[in-house]
Amino acid sequence: KGLYALVDGGYHTWRCLMCPVKSAQQMDVKYWSKRLESVRKDVECTFGSLKRRFRMLRLPIEFATAHCLDVMFKMCCMLHNMLLEFDGLADIGQDEADWTSADLEADERRVISQRSFDEFERSQRRMHAEEEGNSNNFVRTSLMDELVYNEVTVSVESSHYELRDVLVEHFRIQRAKRLVLWARTAPACRRARQERDECAEE
């Protein structure tokens, strides 16, 4: 139905799983990938908040069955959501004041600096591979054999790339129109809402 999950590069290439492109050559794909990484990191931060809030998630799991683990995690999420509602943070992201225009220039600097670093890293790896190949052919061959032996089969859906191209094009248009938004932090959301309410009262 058009839904997809944001994942890292360790998942299958399915239509319902979208991951950033690590070695993208086109700048539009790089910008889109950077955005995906940022959003996915926000989700990972939520898991970090859960671990800080509930001690049982930081310690070795004592439950033996998958059912008990499932119930434990769901209960932690429910309590977490109840506490967010108590703190007045449950509806963050649903108000217009919770969003701010993205700093596209800063994004561009980050993407360009990352591209320079990736090119430097690739040149270093190439140089080391050439040195190893010239000095010790046996080591290089054994490494290649090991990679072939440990080859992993990855399931690929062609519709994955079709959807990704559509998402990249959509994000390119949004950037061109300067309509890309970033979510504010919780304290910034509170301040923005207070300022808006004060202006409305005046």
Side-chain angles (χ1 to χ4, degrees), residues 12-14 154-158 160-161:
H12 290 292
T13 311
W14 293 347
V154 178
S155 176
V156 178
E157 290 180 355
S158 59
H160 166 88
Y161 298 106

Side-chain angles (χ1 to χ4, degrees), residues 25 27 39 77 147 202:
Q25 298 300 317
M27 293 304 291
V39 175
C77 291
L147 289 172
E202 293 174 359

Side-chain angles (χ1 to χ4, degrees), residues 5-13 17-22 32-33 36 40 160 164:
L6 303 183
V7 297
D8 58 24
Y11 289 81
H12 290 292
T13 311
L17 303 174
M18 285 291 145
C19 67
V21 182
K22 290 294 182 185
W32 176 79
S33 296
L36 248 65
R40 191 172 55 80
H160 166 88
R164 189 181 74 186

Side-chain angles (χ1 to χ4, degrees), residues 8 35 54 70 72 76 78 101 121 145 161 166 171 176 200:
D8 58 24
R35 173 72 178 207
F54 301 107
D70 191 43
M72 176 197 73
C76 289
M78 290 167 60
S101 297
E121 203 173 36
D145 289 343
Y161 298 106
V166 170
F171 189 66

